[in-house]
Amino acid sequence: MVNFFTKFLSKLFRRDQKLKIGLYGHPNSGKTTLANTMSEDWLGKPLGLISNIPHETRAVYKQEKVSIKQDGYELDFDIIDTPGIATKVDYKNFLEFGLTEAEAKERAKEATKGIIEAIKWLDDVTGVLLVMDATRDPLTQANITIIGNLEARKIPFVIVANKTDLPESSPDRIVSVFPQHTVVPISALQGENTGELYMAMIRKFK
C-alpha cells in the first residue's frame, strides 16, 4: 500500500511539474540555432545570438511558455538553451578567430563558467534535446558524459542529429553509435525535418 501511494504521488508530481527542456551539446553543434528556430516557429521571435566562434552562448538563455502544436497534439514547455559542453577550454583556440589575447582569455573564463552553469541546470530540466553536429564524430567524451548524466538522473532525452543540410553530414553514424536512443536528423538552420523532431518531443516528453 505504501509503495502504491508513493508511486501515485510521484506520477501526480511529475504531471504537475513544469516542463523545462534543456538544449545540450558541444559548442557550435547548433543548439542556439535550434532554440531560435523553435522560438520563431511558435512565438515568432528568436531567442539568442549565434556565431561561428565557439562558446558564443556562455550563459543560459530561457524562453518561457513555448507551445508546440503538431498533428493534433500539444506540448507546453520552457526552452533552456545552455552553453556548449567541452571537456577542455583553451583560450588559444579563440585566437584564430581574430580575438586579442585578453579577449580570448576572458571568453575562455566565461565559457568555463557557462559549462558549470549548464551542468547545474541538469537539476532543473525535465527533458533534454542533445544536439550533435552530424558532420563530426559523435563518440566524444563530452557526449558520453552528458548521456551518462542524463541516464543516471533518469531525464528523458532526444538526440538531434543537426546540420543535415551540409554534404559531409552523416546522421546514420550517430544512429549507429547510439542505437538505443531516439535520434532525429534535422537542419536547424534550414528548418528541415523539424516537424519530425516536434513529434519526437511530444512522444518523449508528454
Side-chain angles (χ1 to χ4, degrees):
M1 178 64 71
V2 174
N3 287 339
F4 171 79
F5 192 62
T6 302
K7 289 180 181 178
F8 174 77
L9 286 178
S10 178
K11 288 181 180 179
L12 187 64
F13 175 75
R14 283 199 301 269
R15 186 162 59 238
D16 292 339
Q17 190 179 26
K18 191 173 185 180
L19 183 59
K20 290 176 278 191
I21 298 178
L23 275 64
Y24 281 79
H26 278 275
N28 282 18
S29 59
K31 298 181 304 300
T32 300
T33 302
L34 176 56
N36 284 342
T37 295
M38 293 169 64
S39 187
E40 287 174 340
D41 280 352
W42 304 106
L43 295 176
K45 61 180 181 179
L47 176 60
L49 298 174
I50 59 174
S51 167
N52 66 327
I53 305 176
H55 297 283
E56 180 63 36
T57 302
R58 300 184 295 283
V60 168
Y61 289 92
K62 184 176 181 181
Q63 176 60 63
E64 297 184 331
K65 298 180 180 178
V66 180
S67 183
I68 284 177
K69 297 176 177 67
Q70 188 77 17
D71 296 347
Y73 297 93
E74 186 172 346
L75 187 69
D76 300 314
F77 60 97
D78 295 343
I79 297 174
I80 311 297
D81 182 23
T82 69
I85 302 292
T87 53
K88 182 181 179 182
V89 180
D90 188 343
Y91 82 91
K92 294 177 183 177
N93 294 335
F94 298 113
L95 297 176
E96 60 187 82
F97 293 94
L99 275 67
T100 66
E101 184 170 325
E103 290 170 336
K105 287 182 176 179
E106 182 61 26
R107 179 173 284 247
K109 181 180 177 181
E110 292 174 353
T112 301
K113 288 182 179 178
I115 293 170
I116 295 171
E117 184 182 6
I119 293 171
K120 286 181 178 178
W121 263 93
L122 285 173
D123 291 332
D124 294 315
V125 297
T126 50
V128 163
L129 296 178
L130 177 51
V131 184
M132 298 186 187
D133 183 342
T135 69
R136 298 181 177 274
D137 182 2
L139 196 58
T140 66
Q141 185 177 347
N143 284 336
I144 296 299
T145 300
I146 295 170
I147 289 176
N149 271 277
L150 295 175
E151 291 177 334
R153 297 165 186 260
K154 294 182 170 55
I155 300 173
F157 64 96
V158 173
I159 296 176
V160 182
N162 191 31
K163 304 190 181 183
T164 57
D165 55 300
L166 299 179
E168 64 271 31
S169 171
S170 179
D172 289 342
R173 179 169 50 182
I174 296 176
V175 174
S176 66
V177 172
F178 304 106
Q180 72 274 38
H181 300 301
T182 302
V183 179
V184 182
I186 71 160
S187 168
L189 183 63
Q190 302 296 331
E192 295 173 359
N193 212 37
T194 53
E196 184 176 335
L197 174 61
Y198 296 150
M199 279 308 302
M201 291 170 62
I202 289 169
R203 288 192 292 267
K204 183 68 70 171
F205 305 132
K206 190 70 174 174

